Amino acid sequence: MPAMKDDCIFCKIAKKEIETAVVYEDDEVIAFKDINPQAPVHFLFIPKKHIETLNDISAEDAVLVGRMVAKMRDAAREQGIAEDGYRVVMNCNRNAGQEVFHLHAHLLGGRKFSWPPG
Ligand code: AMP
Ligand code: ZN
């Protein structure tokens, strides 16, 4: 298992200590349904490795993050939202409203989104 942090809710999800609706999993990434969905499709993709924010990814994490994004593309296709379109969001720190300090990317789709974001 990659590095974990004991008090981190998403590390607990990665370790299956907290139940979630898992939609995808491999050795380094797990994806699950957001508990408070903001769209018909709202999944969270996380690396199993504990990385606090986007500010903290290292050069060696680039491949992991790239693979994670490709898995989000696959999930969008599987959910039938790829052609209409979808949004991928990574909130970093206070101004973006990051609530959970374990890197995660939101996959949102199934409705039209406005721009710019609030
Ligand atoms: P962020 O503002 O980007 O940090 O978003 C954190 C997201 O995690 C929110 O959309 C929450 O609804 C979601 N979340 C928090 N706890 C859980 C959980 N136990 N299972 C699924 N989603 C969660
Ligand atoms: Zn964590």
Side-chain angles (χ1 to χ4, degrees):
M1 254 318 173
M4 299 276 182
K5 200 162 170 259
D6 285 348
D7 59 350
C8 171
I9 187 168
F10 284 0
C11 282
K12 287 183 177 160
I13 285 174
K15 284 188 283 184
K16 310 280 173 59
E17 290 175 9
I18 294 179
E19 251 193 69
T20 45
V22 173
V23 296
Y24 174 78
E25 182 172 14
D26 62 31
D27 286 350
E28 53 187 6
V29 170
I30 187 165
F32 47 94
K33 290 185 179 175
D34 196 293
I35 207 167
N36 182 22
Q38 301 302 313
V41 176
H42 189 173
F43 298 163
L44 297 176
F45 281 70
I46 68 170
K48 289 185 174 177
K49 173 185 177 184
H50 182 84
I51 303 170
E52 299 223 333
T53 79
L54 199 50
N55 290 336
D56 303 303
I57 62 168
S58 64
E60 70 192 25
D61 295 326
V63 174
L64 165 63
V65 175
R67 282 201 200 111
M68 189 173 88
V69 171
K71 294 302 172 192
M72 299 182 80
R73 181 270 323 268
D74 293 346
R77 281 186 187 145
E78 284 164 21
Q79 292 297 310
I81 58 173
E83 296 310 318
D84 283 344
Y86 55 94
R87 189 168 283 177
V88 169
V89 176
M90 295 174 92
N91 293 319
C92 182
N93 278 341
R94 200 170 39 244
N95 273 3
Q98 184 175 0
E99 288 173 355
V100 178
F101 287 84
H102 177 129
L103 191 74
H104 55 279
H106 300 253
L107 173 66
L108 295 145
R111 68 171 173 86
K112 191 157 172 34
F113 300 104
S114 56
W115 191 265

